[in-house]
Amino acid sequence: MTATPHAGKEEDFQLFMTLLDSDRFSGRYRAGIHRHDVSGLMRRMIKEDLLTFDGRRLFPERRAYTVPYELSPAEQDLYEQVTEYVRREMNRAERLDGRRGNQVGFALTVLQRRLASSPAAIHRSLERRRLRLEARRQEMLSDHALPPGSSAVPIPSVPVEDELDDLTGGELEELEEQVVDAATAARTLKELELEIAALSELERLAGRALASGDDRKWRELSGLLQDDPLLRDENGLPRKLIVFTEHRDTLDYLSRRISNLIGRPEAVVTIHGGTPRPHRRDIRDAFNQDPDVRVLIATDAAGEGLNLQRAHLMVNYDLPWNPNRIEQRFGRIHRIGQTEVCHLWNLVAADTREGQVFQRLLDKIEQQSKAYEGKVYNVLGELFEGEPLRGLLLEAIRYGDQPEVKSRLDQVIDARVGERAVELIKGLALDAHVMGLEDVQDVRLRMEEAHAKRLHPHYVRAFFRDAFERLGGHLRPRESGRYEITHIPAVLRDTGRFGLGLGGVVQRRYERVCFDRERVTIPGAARADLIAPGHPLFDAVLDETVHLHGELLTRGTVLVDASDAGARPRLLTALVQDVVDGHGRSVDRSFAFVELHPDGTAHDAGPAPYLDYRPPTPREAEAAEALLKEDWLRDGGPARAMEWAVREAVPHHLTRTRERLLPVIDRTRAQVEQRLRQEISFWHAQAGKLELDQAEGKKIRHRPETARAWAEDLERRREQRLAALDKDQNLQALPPVIAGCALVVPVGWLVRHIGPAQTAAEKAVLDALHAADGYDTDRRAVAAVLGAERRLGRAPEEMAHNNPGYDIRSLSLNGHLVHIEVKGRREGAEHFYVSRNEVLVAKNRGEHHRLALVSVSPHGPEHDEIRYLIDAFADTDFGDLKTEGVLLSWQDAWNKGGNPQ
């Protein structure tokens, strides 16, 4: 996943896509010939067009303000003198060789940017540069004099302009520090001494401006911090603010001044390129979680991979010369999860040459942002393709006092942020993947249905705690829902036994772990690892448990269905189904559960039906042994399961897989054919052209035979890829494999065969059995709830009998699903039973779940009463995997309920 896959460089983008499919993007990109089609490989989304399933914008609005200010007299004098020095030295640098000229030009550019940053930054830079050149002068005067263009400390090469933009914030800061103080255009000792004298005078002017205390840029920021109403919430408390600068000296300067202004040094934190990455995360967490930390000052190093949406206010104290970085900075707060309107203030010195360019640029961006709802920020990196903003700024610095140059720069900016921006924004709309309303509704309903059946954190915690302790580990409870692990058994640290997973390696200890993502971070406590499938420790525990006990699945077991008052046992069989392609690779795998009955019938048991069953007690297991001798179990149970799977589950699985994969394969085939045919034709044509050029005696870059060989190689690649796609398309279902089986014994059968209850556990079984009134009561209750739902304006759908987890799925007027578990009892009932699966579906759905209680009247359905409980089991916790359900007081639950809603 990337926020900037294109970044304004189509050729580089095509090379990036070649990593994903070298045939679809074969050869060098040629505009007007090759299509920009990345469907199936990349989804390009527009922030401003993304909506939640409720129809709300996923990203809030963002607003940017230009804050122009005028330099003080001392600052203006310093600006003119330093700019003149930079212009003069740039002219001299143009006469140097390429490598050294690039170094000097880069150093002078950095110096100019630091001039615009702060008096502190330019003063320190001039001082360091003077000291470095004085040291260079001493080297030239020593007996071991070096050539004028060299230095005792090597100066790194400066990348070309396009490559500069690819450097991270930290890498760019390091390069600037190494080059800015050392690179000089001086070729003789005299020229060097003249430059040192000029630097001494500039340093004096910078010191004077700094000592005056009249820093107009700081005055604007200080006023913003103290006076702008957006900087305080509705209770008058200060809001969090991020201040971006380009230079470490300015960062330190602002840190001191803001700390003094606020009066609490601990309220200000900083991140720069020299901050170690683990420490950056600690600072981010402090800024996000600690209410006493109010301001984060950062260089562009904080724009790399840090989520800072705890704040929604940002200041660009310095504006980057790469417009893409403006969006990257804004993107630190304008992220998924941000709930507030995002505000950005850009400080610009209106009476400087580069400031005038920036003001023109920002004014145009603001105009386009209003016209296109902020979408202009999505294309900032592409606006100046072919004519970088950095080049325009340098042109303004060197020649901006010439009216014709200033006019041309204005025209370029107007065109780039005008017609070019509109063109790119419209292109985004065509390129973006937008779903229709019907598709969105369908996906939303499927997601809500999947959410009802998701693997609840309770399952994960119950399994992990039990299995981990069996393997010698121990969870120590700490904060609510969080644990500490001080020792990991050696068998789990031996990851090489099962291979290293994507989640990393198992650590020797974990300061904090949790099973619910809401408990990962809490104020004042260490961040917790989320233990779930994919985490290395969870996977190690699962792998070792399967390694030790996997054969038990095929041996089978006996389970008890405590909610079934009937007397018909059944055989639960788990089947693994694989769909493979022509290469023999598994492209889709699914589990199916089928329950077989003594009369030979079978039915789909749904997902994970075993979660509602429990192990038998010793007396129950002894009684169930009689069932194991019955003919229907000994004669063809697995075979009948296979017959059902081949007839019912496998065709559905194969059809679903083909519907998902075949359109993707067809699209890939068409695009591979088009691109490779274009490349083959191109190189055959090139071979003919090269032969003519060679015959005319022209200089050629490639031999005709080489171009023809490339075309023939592409033809072979085309044949091989099309053959591979044929195999990709050849989808077949393998015979299902039985993964495990269990005899499921209804509690009603057990009660008839084990006699009176002898233990508390057996008494609880009888209580649960008596907490139901039979089929007729259930039908009356479901019918009553269906009627209540229709009266509420919802569209209810009754699930199949004994559907695991809920009885009714109802579509509300706002397009959401409500899952309803119906419990009907005759008047005077004392208890009712809720299974584990029913409870956990309710916990998954939260406020979108209803427990519907129906009091069935002896006087007829028109006298039945209904009560709804919303999110009834929010505080219910089973604790382990051994509890299959809960027995609840009917009267207590009835008193907590209310009218259907």
Side-chain angles (χ1 to χ4, degrees), residues 460-478:
V460 178
R461 184 186 63 190
F463 161 76
F464 181 85
R465 184 162 58 188
D466 186 34
F468 187 51
E469 290 182 355
R470 287 172 182 266
L471 296 171
H474 182 62
L475 288 171
R476 300 178 183 273
R478 291 297 182 250

Side-chain angles (χ1 to χ4, degrees), residues 58 80 104 321 326 431 515 566 826:
L58 183 62
E80 295 297 342
V104 175
W321 284 22
I326 297 177
D431 193 36
F515 300 92
R826 295 175 186 149

Side-chain angles (χ1 to χ4, degrees), residues 770-773 777 823-827 829 831-832 854-856 890:
H770 296 148
D773 293 323
T777 300
K823 296 296 178 184
R825 295 303 315 270
R826 295 175 186 149
E827 285 185 2
H831 299 95
F832 68 103
V854 181
S855 179
V856 177
W890 180 265

Side-chain angles (χ1 to χ4, degrees), residues 595-616:
E595 287 191 336
L596 308 173
H597 301 284
D599 61 3
T601 59
H603 76 273
D604 185 352
Y610 51 85
L611 293 173
D612 276 337
Y613 305 152
R614 62 169 174 82

Side-chain angles (χ1 to χ4, degrees), residues 650-669:
V650 170
H652 177 68
H653 182 207
L654 180 59
T655 299
R656 190 175 68 244
T657 305
R658 284 175 171 168
E659 289 174 350
R660 179 172 60 87
L661 294 181
L662 291 183
V664 177
I665 296 169
D666 288 340
R667 183 171 58 242
T668 301
R669 179 191 301 276

Side-chain angles (χ1 to χ4, degrees), residues 703-763:
R703 293 172 57 84
E705 296 84 356
T706 303
R708 192 168 287 110
W710 287 340
E712 292 170 354
D713 180 62
L714 287 169
E715 288 174 347
R716 284 190 294 271
R717 275 177 54 184
R718 174 180 166 275
E719 292 173 2
Q720 292 168 359
R721 181 63 186 275
L722 293 180
L725 288 168
D726 286 340
K727 290 186 176 181
D728 292 345
Q729 208 165 18
N730 184 21
L731 301 177
Q732 302 293 333
L734 294 180
V737 176
I738 294 179
C741 57
L743 175 63
V744 180
V745 184
V747 69
W749 185 94
L750 289 170
V751 168
R752 294 175 176 81
H753 288 78
I754 63 175
Q758 297 181 359
T759 66
E762 291 178 354
K763 184 178 183 305

